[in-house]
Amino acid sequence: MTGVTETVRPSESYYHLHLVSDSTGETLISVGRAAAAQYDVKPIEHIYPLVRSHKQLDKVVQAIDEFPGIVLYTLTDPELRNRLKTYCRDHGVPVLSVLAPVVQLFQAYLGGAPEPRVGGQHQLDGDYFRRIDAMNFTVMHDDGQHVDGLEAADVVLLGISRSSKTPTSIYLANRGIKTANIPLVPSLPVPPGLAELKRPLIVGLLASADRVVEIRRNRLLGLNAAQAADTYTDRQAVAEEIAFSRRLCARHGWPMIDVTRRSIEETAAAIIALLQERRRKLTENPNG
């Protein structure tokens, strides 16, 4: 190992970001990407999940030595944690435990020392099985399937083709929210009984015509079906589909979310906020 004797500076175009976890690494990836998004320089990610032995840490240290950069970690084992910190300190590599400041805050407020648990957020508890149940429901009710079971949904998403219904549904399901999605086609009737649903929150997803056309064209190219485009990628036809969606949601008072410039995560966050507000109102006025 050559080692690094001073703080590493990124090149003009990239830098290395090492994410070391004794669990799945999801927390690190989220935190690392959220921080990296604040800068124009793009990171090259090196992700090391399930690091629970010195042999596994050997490979991590070797990679850091070869590609020095920022090191973020969540390691429960004190020996592994101290070894990584010592190596980085001795070689001038910036290193941080992303959970340590948060745990210290909890400890100061709650009192007592925490009980370290590897992958504690991934326990096979009630929340875990609730997410699995939601995922199964969502897959079964994707793209207008099994509309007879919509009353059991927490959320029903409506939208024309390529309005991010399926990825948003999957994201919500991973949060434990049973989500069905239904494609809207002006020439076809919506599922019978949709307007009479009581339990689920019904939300329309909208996007600009230009955005929908762009996604549809890319979709057709990926399927080698460019010649089958016809009205599917015609801007005027798409605009009419969007207008149909708007009229339908407005007629029934269903909230609409424009996803043109929203990520899946942002769209899901907006839906969750609507769902929480709806549940709060139902709790306060169950007969309303």
Side-chain angles (χ1 to χ4, degrees):
M1 295 186 183
T2 58
V4 179
T5 57
E6 59 182 17
T7 300
V8 179
R9 300 297 180 188
S11 74
E12 294 182 357
S13 58
Y14 70 91
Y15 61 96
H16 294 279
L17 176 61
H18 298 270
L19 306 171
V20 189
S21 174
D22 51 17
S23 186
T24 62
E26 292 178 13
T27 300
L28 276 176
I29 293 170
S30 297
V31 172
R33 289 178 179 173
Q38 310 305 310
Y39 296 87
D40 292 331
V41 184
K42 301 301 180 183
I44 296 177
E45 293 182 349
H46 305 265
I47 303 172
Y48 317 94
L50 304 175
V51 176
R52 299 177 181 178
S53 70
H54 284 281
K55 184 177 181 180
Q56 291 169 318
L57 190 59
D58 287 341
K59 297 179 180 179
V60 174
V61 170
Q62 183 177 354
I64 297 172
D65 184 79
E66 185 175 357
F67 304 106
I70 296 174
V71 179
L72 302 179
Y73 70 89
T74 53
L75 295 173
T76 303
D77 186 291
E79 290 188 9
L80 298 179
R81 186 171 61 238
N82 291 333
R83 180 185 167 194
L84 179 62
K85 287 194 297 183
T86 300
Y87 170 84
C88 291
R89 183 184 65 244
D90 292 348
H91 291 75
V93 176
V95 61
L96 176 70
S97 168
V98 300
L99 288 182
V102 180
V103 172
Q104 289 170 4
L105 178 64
F106 273 65
Q107 183 175 353
Y109 184 77
L110 299 175
E115 298 179 8
R117 299 172 183 171
V118 175
Q121 72 273 39
H122 301 297
Q123 297 181 50
L124 301 182
D125 55 10
D127 286 339
Y128 173 83
F129 289 108
R130 180 169 57 87
R131 292 196 301 272
I132 296 300
D133 188 36
M135 189 67 72
N136 289 333
F137 179 93
T138 299
V139 170
M140 287 183 61
H141 294 81
D142 181 45
D143 202 30
Q145 301 181 78
H146 303 289
V147 294
D148 55 327
L150 292 180
E151 189 63 55
D154 296 309
V155 172
V156 175
L157 301 181
L158 309 177
I160 66 174
S161 173
R162 304 299 123 190
S163 56
S164 302
K165 298 186 301 299
T166 294
T168 303
S169 297
I170 296 298
Y171 187 92
L172 289 169
N174 196 46
R175 297 288 298 272
I177 299 171
K178 293 181 179 180
T179 309
N181 73 80
I182 298 172
L184 295 180
V185 181
S187 60
L188 298 177
V190 297
L194 182 64
E196 283 70 46
L197 294 177
K198 301 298 183 183
R199 183 177 185 273
L201 168 72
I202 302 176
V203 180
L205 300 185
L206 306 169
S208 69
D210 290 337
R211 178 59 175 160
V212 173
V213 168
E214 178 187 3
I215 296 174
R216 288 183 178 184
R217 284 175 177 168
N218 291 334
R219 172 69 171 169
L220 290 176
L221 288 174
L223 296 174
N224 294 319
Q227 299 302 317
D230 51 57
T231 60
Y232 188 65
T233 56
D234 179 78
R235 192 186 183 285
Q236 182 58 39
V238 171
E240 291 174 1
E241 291 182 53
I242 295 170
F244 167 77
S245 299
R246 288 185 179 277
R247 290 194 301 270
L248 177 67
C249 291
R251 185 163 64 249
H252 294 284
W254 297 327
M256 295 172 281
I257 297 175
D258 189 334
V259 303
T260 304
R261 294 180 176 84
R262 291 179 187 259
S263 66
I264 298 301
E265 294 83 356
E266 290 171 326
T267 300
I271 293 170
I272 291 172
L274 289 171
L275 182 61
Q276 291 175 337
E277 177 64 14
R278 184 171 186 273
R279 287 174 172 172
R280 183 187 66 79
K281 290 181 178 179
L282 288 175
T283 300
E284 294 176 352
N285 185 17
N287 297 319

